[in-house]
Amino acid sequence: VQLQASGGGLVQAGGSLRLSCTASDIIFSFYDMGWYRQAPGKQRVLVASITSDGSTNYAGSVKGRFTISRDNAKNTAYLQMNSLKPEDTSVYYCNAASPPHWSRRYDYWGKGTQVTVSS
């Protein structure tokens, strides 16, 4: 299983970026997708998630600024990030997780993509 994340970069405060995460070798539509971030010296935290049926959840710090979506036909999840702040600077990781009702847990991670927001 591979999760390929892309779209990170350097942006000024107030700017926008869109992250993409393309999955291979899984039935993408079955999985819940999430974006996490990890700043240096800090724990990895959930930024946003979207279930297999399209329900979304956001961390309070990004609510109203970030939007998570998915395109099952393209096996891709997106994170649209608007009104970026310097504190959004982190390595962003995508995650594919089997739904809670499955009898076995499957959990896959992509390599991170760096997002840097300058003030």
Side-chain angles (χ1 to χ4, degrees):
V1 176
Q2 261 198 328
L3 299 179
Q4 183 66 49
S6 61
L10 173 63
V11 64
Q12 286 190 330
S16 298
L17 285 173
R18 188 176 82 154
L19 305 183
S20 300
C21 174
T22 301
S24 58
D25 298 325
I26 59 171
I27 303 176
F28 180 81
S29 61
F30 286 2
Y31 282 75
D32 298 338
M33 299 299 297
W35 286 98
Y36 292 71
R37 66 187 182 189
Q38 186 170 20
K42 295 190 176 181
Q43 287 191 326
R44 190 175 298 186
V45 296
L46 177 68
V47 175
S49 63
I50 185 167
T51 64
S52 57
D53 64 1
S55 298
T56 58
N57 181 55
Y58 297 93
S61 59
V62 307
K63 200 171 288 186
R65 300 188 297 123
F66 291 10
T67 302
I68 190 170
S69 61
R70 64 191 299 157
D71 185 338
N72 290 337
K74 295 183 178 179
N75 285 4
T76 300
Y78 303 97
L79 185 67
Q80 177 66 44
M81 305 186 294
N82 299 329
S83 303
L84 282 161
K85 304 175 181 180
E87 52 263 43
D88 295 317
T89 296
S90 278
V91 178
Y92 285 71
Y93 297 89
C94 67
N95 170 265
S98 53
H101 65 271
W102 284 23
S103 59
R104 180 177 172 178
R105 173 80 175 178
Y106 296 89
D107 203 14
Y108 305 107
W109 292 90
K111 293 181 182 177
T113 185
Q114 176 71 45
V115 171
T116 303
V117 184
S118 63
S119 57

